[in-house]
Amino acid sequence: MQTFNNTLKKLAKVKNLNYKLTSNEKDLDSLFKILSKPQRIIKVSLPFKKKDGKLQLIEGYRIQHNNFLGPYKGGIRFSKEVDEDEINTLSLLMTLKCSLVGLPLGGAKGGIKIDPKKLSSLELELLSREYVRKIYDFIGPDKDIPAPDINTNSQIMDWMIDEYLKLSGKNTKNKSHLLATFTGKSINRGGIEGREEATGKGGEIVLELLIKRLNFKKPLTVAIQGFGNVGYNLAKFLAIKNYKIIAISDSKGGIYSKDGLNPELVMECKKERGMISGCYCRGSVCDFKKGKEITNEELLRLNVDVLIPSALENVINLHNANKIRAKIILEMANNPITDEADEIINKRGGIIVPDILANSGGVIVSYLEMIQNINKEKWKKEKVFDRLFDYLNEAVDEVWQIHERYNINFRNSSLIVAIKNLLTKIR
Ligand code: NAD
């Protein structure tokens, strides 16, 4: 599936809406042309010795989509699905996301085509450092600032920043400034409190702001696909806010309980077993007597108030769009709904909160981490989450105004805000 073209199709739809983006159509055409191609594609080949001593060349990418608003920014993922089209798509989404939430940052994305679960910790470290050596010339606090994404975490960011600082030379004067080359680092290495939970926290803030305006009454039932950094942290925050999480899954399948699941207990069980499947009635989680195992596909089709895809792209597509019954879909994963499925869900009145708004908490707190590093400060989590709220409150407000006034769905209203901000740089 060509996800980049698919995303461009979603984007192009805003031209045909009952909303005038600019008085100068030529500007809009120029912007769309610019957004349809990334500014730079860095494709690297990473030599890597396997356990049997054989040399393997691993594919890696850093795609710098657009820097109209500031230095490129975006995560790095390790996954065997990584390819140029996927990274390209994600880099475009980063350009739109940073613009929508008003950050002075552009869009980029990186990836290494590998299944990290098959690697030892030492192998992961060697590969992470090799990747930095290959992209070194193209990154830096004023050029491009990578961060974690699928299968990467603060440990990997720590190895990467360490390699970056080594390459920059021991006598580098402004080391604190250079620390801002990577975000999502551990606290000891210059990371910021709350970064780990930031994407989940952002999802909770956006959902809370929108359900109030949409007049949804709690408790609302929730199903979450993907229980990694994003899915788990969001589940924790939603449980505190009185949402009833009735289904959770990971790559190996999921569990369902109509009485609700406790995310912390499910995580405990997942850690013990290595997967969620079966956790409804094992060990300390056995109080969910009425639970049952479900597949990922069954989870997506549940009749819930809020469905939260927080794993992979394109999971809601032409094959299942007609079966999706959730009232609200909060896109915590990037691009979880294909263009065709988006149309079907919109037609039946389903509310989609788009990825560029729903999951922007991660990049917002990454930006705060950059500021903390550059100003040599240490922020408390409370301050971080307060600032996060301010950014999201403003973005939701702008999106809501367009949605209300022109009867435009949340995806298109969000794209309009993002494009309007980018247009200011084209004149
Ligand atoms: P992660 O690696 O921590 O977790 C991914 C989760 O998805 C795991 O539980 C995994 O088991 C599950 N999964 C993998 N394949 C699956 C499948 N086929 N079906 C169901 N579940 C599957 O990754 P993450 O950081 O939580 O990222 C999840 C999504 O959120 C990605 O789309 C990512 O791009 C997006 N995102 C992440 C961040 C961030 O700060 N980490 C920010 C914005 C967006």
Side-chain angles (χ1 to χ4, degrees):
M1 184 176 312
Q2 286 291 303
T3 51
F4 188 73
N5 288 341
N6 224 318
T7 311
L8 286 178
K9 268 197 227 159
K10 281 185 199 163
L11 188 61
K13 283 185 185 152
V14 301
K15 280 187 182 173
N16 308 323
L17 297 170
N18 175 27
Y19 186 93
K20 201 145 183 57
L21 268 154
T22 171
S23 51
N24 186 348
E25 284 301 313
K26 273 194 197 141
D27 283 350
L28 193 59
D29 286 344
S30 307
L31 181 69
F32 273 79
K33 206 174 238 171
I34 288 165
L35 295 179
S36 72
K37 290 253 183 282
Q39 291 175 338
R40 184 184 282 134
I41 297 177
I42 304 154
K43 193 169 175 183
V44 297
S45 190
L46 308 166
F48 178 71
K49 250 195 195 143
K50 290 204 294 188
K51 285 182 190 99
D52 59 9
K54 276 196 190 139
L55 187 77
Q56 202 185 348
L57 289 176
I58 315 263
E59 221 173 288
Y61 297 89
R62 184 73 187 166
I63 301 191
Q64 298 175 328
H65 180 261
N66 187 282
N67 64 356
F68 277 9
L69 298 174
Y72 304 105
K73 181 91 190 85
I76 298 171
R77 59 172 56 179
F78 288 0
S79 147
K80 53 183 191 309
E81 323 297 338
V82 159
D83 62 23
E84 191 173 317
D85 182 52
E86 181 189 71
I87 300 300
N88 209 0
T89 309
L90 295 165
S91 70
L92 162 64
L93 287 180
M94 285 308 296
T95 299
L96 297 168
K97 196 179 300 182
C98 291
S99 178
L100 163 63
V101 295
L103 296 176
L105 295 169
K109 200 80 181 186
I112 300 182
K113 192 178 183 67
I114 188 100
D115 180 356
K117 289 182 186 133
K118 295 200 173 131
L119 303 188
S120 68
S121 171
L122 179 64
E123 287 172 325
L124 260 184
E125 177 177 351
L126 292 174
L127 196 62
S128 305
R129 288 181 184 275
E130 182 62 23
Y131 177 72
V132 173
R133 288 196 286 275
K134 290 285 191 297
I135 63 166
Y136 174 77
D137 286 337
F138 303 98
I139 58 174
D142 309 309
K143 290 187 205 166
D144 182 358
I145 305 107
D149 191 63
I150 290 189
N151 289 326
T152 52
N153 54 23
S154 57
Q155 171 63 81
I156 292 175
M157 294 306 113
D158 287 358
W159 290 326
M160 290 189 172
I161 188 64
D162 187 62
E163 192 61 28
Y164 183 83
L165 292 176
K166 249 199 246 166
L167 294 168
S168 306
K170 279 193 185 126
N171 301 322
T172 310
K173 277 192 200 114
N174 203 345
K175 199 167 158 191
S176 181
H177 184 76
L178 286 187
L179 268 183
T181 303
F182 286 87
T183 59
K185 308 177 289 289
S186 67
I187 303 287
N188 293 339
R189 207 68 181 96
I192 194 164
E193 285 189 21
R195 173 60 185 89
E196 189 95 8
E197 303 132 285
T199 308
K201 182 70 190 170
E204 175 235 284
I205 295 172
V206 170
L207 186 61
E208 282 280 283
L209 288 167
L210 284 176
I211 60 156
K212 261 183 218 134
R213 293 181 184 229
L214 290 163
N215 278 325
F216 275 83
K217 295 280 173 276
K218 284 192 200 163
L220 297 173
T221 53
V222 177
I224 303 183
Q225 182 189 56
F227 206 52
N229 173 297
V230 174
Y232 167 61
N233 283 303
L234 177 57
K236 260 187 350 189
F237 290 121
L238 292 184
I240 294 167
K241 291 271 159 104
N242 199 24
Y243 290 79
K244 196 199 251 186
I245 299 159
I246 61 167
I248 299 178
S249 71
D250 63 15
S251 58
K252 305 215 174 73
I255 53 173
Y256 166 90
S257 165
K258 78 174 177 41
D259 295 336
L261 298 160
N262 176 332
E264 311 260 16
L265 293 181
V266 174
M267 181 48 92
E268 241 175 60
C269 175
K270 178 177 159 73
K271 278 188 183 152
E272 268 167 38
R273 287 172 53 83
M275 61 176 119
I276 288 178
S277 186
C279 280
Y280 64 93
C281 191
R282 278 188 66 94
S284 56
V285 199
C286 210
D287 35 12
F288 308 132
K289 292 261 164 42
K290 292 180 198 120
K292 59 173 185 178
E293 284 188 33
I294 51 168
T295 64
N296 265 295
E297 200 49 46
E298 285 165 343
L299 180 144
L300 294 173
R301 297 173 188 208
L302 286 173
N303 191 4
V304 282
D305 295 308
V306 190
L307 172 64
I308 309 187
S310 19
L312 303 177
E313 293 91 59
N314 303 323
V315 289
I316 300 176
N317 48 46
L318 213 44
H319 301 295
N320 58 11
N322 276 316
K323 306 270 168 40
I324 305 293
R325 291 181 288 167
K327 295 184 185 75
I328 301 177
I329 304 176
L330 184 72
E331 290 189 326
M332 293 306 290
N334 284 309
N335 240 346
I337 305 180
T338 65
D339 182 44
E340 297 92 338
D342 190 78
E343 265 184 29
I344 294 170
I345 294 165
N346 270 303
K347 261 189 204 138
R348 75 140 170 92
I351 298 167
I352 298 173
V353 185
D355 44 13
I356 57 171
L357 180 62
N359 72 27
S360 60
V363 70
I364 294 171
V365 173
S366 272
Y367 174 62
L368 301 178
E369 182 176 334
M370 287 172 66
I371 299 181
Q372 182 195 256
N373 289 153
I374 289 165
N375 294 343
K376 298 187 186 160
E377 294 170 347
K378 284 253 172 246
W379 293 18
K380 287 272 164 243
K381 198 194 277 191
E382 204 180 28
K383 174 173 172 179
V384 175
F385 283 176
D386 282 353
R387 292 292 304 277
L388 173 63
F389 180 85
D390 293 343
Y391 273 101
L392 288 172
N393 194 24
E394 205 175 318
V396 167
D397 200 48
E398 277 186 83
V399 169
W400 182 265
Q401 304 292 341
I402 296 172
H403 162 76
E404 269 277 278
R405 191 146 170 224
Y406 299 93
N407 192 21
I408 291 176
N409 68 34
F410 290 129
R411 185 183 311 285
N412 288 331
S413 317
S414 300
L415 289 172
I416 285 173
V417 176
I419 289 167
K420 267 171 52 170
N421 289 341
L422 284 161
L423 273 172
T424 61
K425 298 287 170 182
I426 216 164
R427 283 172 205 136

